[in-house]
Amino acid sequence: MKRHLRLLDHAVETLVHCPVKTVVIVSVYSLLVATVVSVVLYVDAHRQEARALLASAPELVVQRVRGGRHELMPLDRGAAVADIIGVAAVKPRVWGYAYDTPTRTTLTLWGAESVPDEVVSISDGELLDSAAGGSCVVGRGVADARFIGVGERLPFRCADGELVAPRIRGVFSTESAKLTNDLVVMPTVTVRRIFGVGEELCTDLAVRVHNPREIDTIARKVQELWPDTRTVTRRQILQTYDAVFDWRGGIWIVAIGGAIAAFSI
């Protein structure tokens, strides 16, 4: 007991003897520890948000691949996938990427008939309906980058060289910015015209499954029917997000760990 009291007395005496050095050491270590904790909490917050956003995503996405690259899929494959036991619903989706020259960014164009339910939050204007030909709904990032709003037009050059300029009918809210920041939703017929996609083709198939335990079985059956397809499950997407967040967080923690080691030396 006396030994511990002597050690405590020596520690207190050292702290009092060098107050400036003590304050600097405590401040620096507190800052480094707070930074590490902030990185961990930041990465975990992104991981939880990704899981929340993907909670309503389709359990399975079927894509056609040729030469290792994503290719358009025949629309009639959707009916065959729907006939597989365990499949609840199949929704063909038409979407793609378009380069926007004025802002030097790539926008995501999506057919309104297959827009995900989780991105329908509108802050300005209103959603598209079946009669809203020649109109679109844009993400907040698109509206801010182009300095445009409801009622103005957003031009695109089609695959045949012609220009289309749908009028903006609404702007997605900032709450859904993680999904809609670069998104432009317009009637599917307009998206087909811009990308030159025929009526018999679609970009991919969103598949809903009754029993989550049958997802891998259904994916295997799809690949047996069409060897040129690639199936992506929601679990695989979440694992990809986790890997990306862990990698970025690890880089920061390694860098901060180096600073701690250098300071200790």
Side-chain angles (χ1 to χ4, degrees), residues 182-199:
D182 65 342
L183 184 64
V184 179
V185 176
M186 59 184 70
T188 302
V189 62
T190 306
V191 179
R192 290 184 181 277
R193 181 183 176 189
I194 292 175
F195 293 131
V197 179
E199 294 291 336

Side-chain angles (χ1 to χ4, degrees), residues 31-244:
L31 178 61
L32 292 174
V33 171
T35 305
V36 172
V37 173
S38 298
V39 171
V40 173
L41 292 176
Y42 180 78
V43 171
D44 186 69
H46 273 280
R47 184 182 291 108
Q48 295 300 325
E49 185 175 358
R51 292 183 180 278
L53 291 174
L54 292 173
S56 57
E59 290 82 4
L60 186 67
V61 175
V62 181
Q63 299 175 337
R64 188 184 184 190
V65 178
R66 177 170 295 180
R69 300 182 66 86
H70 185 194
E71 189 171 285
L72 297 175
M73 177 178 293
L75 199 60
D76 55 7
R77 292 190 180 184
V81 174
D83 291 336
I84 297 176
I85 298 176
V87 173
V90 178
K91 180 182 291 185
R93 305 190 301 188
V94 179
W95 58 273
Y97 302 109
Y99 183 73
D100 186 44
T101 303
T103 60
R104 297 182 180 180
T105 57
T106 300
L107 305 180
T108 303
L109 309 187
W110 203 290
E113 286 77 359
S114 61
V115 64
D117 296 334
E118 59 269 22
V119 301
V120 295
S121 178
I122 300 292
S123 61
D124 299 327
E126 56 185 350
L127 282 172
L128 296 177
D129 54 35
S130 57
S135 60
C136 65
V137 178
V138 301
R140 176 58 60 184
V142 179
D144 292 343
R146 293 295 299 266
F147 301 100
I148 53 179
V150 176
E152 299 183 72
R153 292 187 177 275
L154 181 62
F156 293 97
R157 185 173 296 278
C158 299
D160 57 7
E162 296 185 4
L163 288 177
V164 295
R167 191 179 298 277
I168 298 176
R169 190 183 180 96
V171 179
F172 289 109
S173 64
T174 55
E175 287 77 8
S176 62
K178 204 169 188 66
L179 291 176
T180 63
N181 193 60
D182 65 342
L183 184 64
V184 179
V185 176
M186 59 184 70
T188 302
V189 62
T190 306
V191 179
R192 290 184 181 277
R193 181 183 176 189
I194 292 175
F195 293 131
V197 179
E199 294 291 336
E200 75 285 355
L201 298 172
C202 64
T203 305
D204 56 24
L205 301 174
V207 181
R208 294 287 183 178
V209 179
H210 287 295
N211 187 351
R213 291 180 295 182
E214 296 180 351
I215 294 176
D216 293 335
T217 301
I218 294 174
R220 186 179 67 253
K221 290 181 179 180
V222 170
Q223 291 179 322
E224 289 175 353
L225 287 174
W226 303 289
D228 63 344
T229 58
R230 173 179 60 190
T231 56
V232 182
T233 65
R234 185 166 58 194
R235 184 184 68 255
Q236 290 173 335
I237 298 176
L238 286 173
Q239 290 174 347
T240 302
Y241 272 108
D242 288 342
V244 171

